[in-house]
Amino acid sequence: MYTRAWRSVAAQDAVGTPSFVADHHLWSEEQFAAAEQIEADLAHLDFVRLVFCDPHGLARSKTLTADTFASVLRNGMNFSPGPFLFDTGHALAVDLGDPGLGVEELAGAGNFILVPDPLTFQLLPDTQPRTAWVIGDEYLREGTCHPLSSRAVLRRLSDQYTAHGYTPVTGLEVEWYLTRLLQETPGNTGNGFGLQGEAPPVAAMNAGYQFNLDARYDSVAHITDPLAMHLAALGLPLRSMEHESGPGQVESTFSPMSALDTADAMLLFRTATKRWCARRGHHASFMSQPRLDAFDPSGWHLHQSVLDTESGRNLFAADGPAGGLSPQAKAYADGLLAYSRELFLLSVPTVNGYRRLNSRHALAPTRMDWSMEDRSVMLRMVGGGTGAHIENRSGEPCANPYLAIAAQLFAGLTGLTGTPDAERPAPATGRHVPQSLGEALTAFTAGRADQLLGRPLATCLTRLKESELRRYETWCATTGTSPDQVTAWEQREYFEAY
């Protein structure tokens, strides 16, 4: 039996631009060294999943054969800009001719080039065929960073800290829901551009509402314990799996990392968790408030501190035996609060995320303030000595990790290096955090987001969120549904995707 030898023509191999990385000096020496090791090991792989994080925080990818990736590694891969243009329900939300974007290459939805970051390359354990995962950085075809890249925003902030002699340290504490699928797929009825079909039908794992009860954890352990081993095999620095209050609500915590590693870890953690659970007849969702009976809202707490790079000293630790927080920590917190309202959209980007921030939830971070041990405020000061840090409790678990973390670093650095533009509200009169996506969007568009994101990305996010909010409000008005409770629209929009 004979197999025909199909011969590709290199000149037409549209995987990017030859020598793109070298010609535009895109990698460090460490990345080049990592790339050489990857090339030596590619013969042992079948596929490589090349991934980037879209503005909504979702992983978008192409699965490449190992032979193709051998060229893509240094040449980059052509990707469609669609994920920059569609809102959470896949409605086209961004006008390509919008002068506020100022990105000529978007005209006609032209491709951009995604360049793998060799430092993020890793084998996905227990996969057959043998598959690896690598995160890419988005570039314009001329070789400059794509202005709509959220990973590039966080890289810039990290570089600013380095220039000041600082090293930001961040830690993840993420709540999410594990449920049991009642059928394999929800079907495709009702799906379309801007129309999400029925959410997958699920059952609760337990009755909930016995916080940290060992028996509650035991009811999910047959899934979460092997999942924890899987996450460890991915190299993620998982510290704990805990059962929270809601039925099957799990909290996962991770050891402190650099800012970029934290964001990369969050993207991989959410993606891998959803995929791993789905293959075992379960559904993991990072939607903050699912439309399921007696489900409690989930949050994402971002822990943060800053080290002096030269000495390794934690700048947030107060001197002397009394401990507490240093003046630098308080200045950092003032910076967070000064920008909190106008950048709140980056930590809570969905209609649904604001369900958690109502004062009827006793432990929700409803006030813009900081306190040593008060869980009703946005910023909680935690620990002492070398472990002193700030916990921002406002985020929702499905937020874009690069933008959410970048917003914190940007605001905190403003406090560390100068006087914030706005004073911290007094504890007794602290304002409430935004109570809706509309309120947060208004503050975002009127504020200083351009300073962090640049005008193209700030405009893009505004258009995406305007479209999402408009579709939600239209649905409520058309169906006569009260927005006071979690709606079927939200369940369709977020429960499966997130």
Side-chain angles (χ1 to χ4, degrees), residues 177-208:
Y177 269 102
L178 176 67
T179 58
R180 181 169 55 85
L181 283 169
L182 296 180
Q183 64 185 57
E184 277 193 27
T185 62
N188 62 329
T189 302
N191 286 357
F193 289 94
L195 299 169
Q196 298 295 291
E198 292 289 340
V202 298
M205 298 294 292
N206 55 47

Side-chain angles (χ1 to χ4, degrees), residues 39 83 158 187 218 229 257 281 293 323 374 401 404 407 465 493:
E39 289 166 332
S158 297
D218 200 55
M229 299 297 291
M257 293 172 271
D293 188 35
D374 184 350
K465 292 294 129 182
E493 189 86 359

Side-chain angles (χ1 to χ4, degrees), residues 3-150:
T3 301
R4 178 175 175 177
W6 298 92
R7 293 182 294 274
S8 61
V9 180
Q12 296 178 6
D13 191 8
V15 297
T17 301
S19 304
F20 189 77
V21 169
D23 289 349
H24 299 290
H25 311 288
L26 302 182
W27 284 351
S28 65
E29 291 184 6
E30 186 181 11
Q31 287 172 306
F32 274 111
E36 290 179 3
Q37 184 61 54
I38 292 167
E39 289 166 332
D41 294 338
L42 275 179
H44 303 293
L45 287 175
D46 298 304
F47 297 109
V48 177
R49 210 169 274 190
L50 177 57
V51 179
F52 75 99
C53 183
D54 76 3
H56 307 296
L58 296 170
R60 306 286 177 176
S61 72
K62 292 186 179 183
T63 298
L64 312 176
T65 65
D67 286 344
T68 300
F69 185 75
S71 297
V72 168
L73 180 57
R74 295 174 186 267
N75 298 343
M77 182 76 190
N78 293 327
F79 267 69
S80 165
F84 296 130
L85 311 177
F86 294 111
D87 70 10
T88 51
H90 211 64
L92 187 61
V94 177
D95 181 355
L96 298 179
D98 192 327
L101 288 180
V103 184
E104 290 184 9
E105 289 190 12
L106 282 178
N111 287 334
F112 66 93
I113 295 179
L114 191 66
V115 174
D117 180 350
L119 299 180
T120 70
F121 188 92
Q122 61 189 108
L123 182 68
L124 296 177
D126 305 321
T127 56
Q128 194 58 244
R130 301 162 299 178
T131 305
W133 156 289
V134 64
I135 299 173
D137 290 300
E138 308 97 311
Y139 289 91
L140 297 176
R141 295 188 295 274
E142 65 185 22
T144 57
C145 282
H146 200 295
L148 303 184
S149 168
S150 54

Side-chain angles (χ1 to χ4, degrees), residues 157 160-161 332 335-336 339 343 405-415 448-452:
L157 260 296
Q160 289 178 30
Y161 273 75
Y332 186 97
L336 293 180
Y339 280 88
L343 296 180
I405 294 172
Q408 300 297 294
L409 298 188
F410 172 77
L413 186 62
T414 301
R448 298 160 287 183
D450 286 8
Q451 297 177 8
L452 166 64

Side-chain angles (χ1 to χ4, degrees), residues 217-263:
Y217 183 80
D218 200 55
S219 71
V220 301
H222 64 290
I223 296 296
T224 54
D225 282 355
L227 171 62
M229 299 297 291
H230 178 73
L231 297 175
L234 286 168
L236 293 171
L238 181 71
R239 295 198 308 182
S240 67
M241 291 281 204
E242 310 165 23
H243 198 287
E244 281 283 322
S245 294
Q249 187 180 39
V250 180
E251 179 179 87
S252 302
T253 69
F254 297 81
S255 298
M257 293 172 271
S258 72
L260 191 62
D261 282 351
T262 299

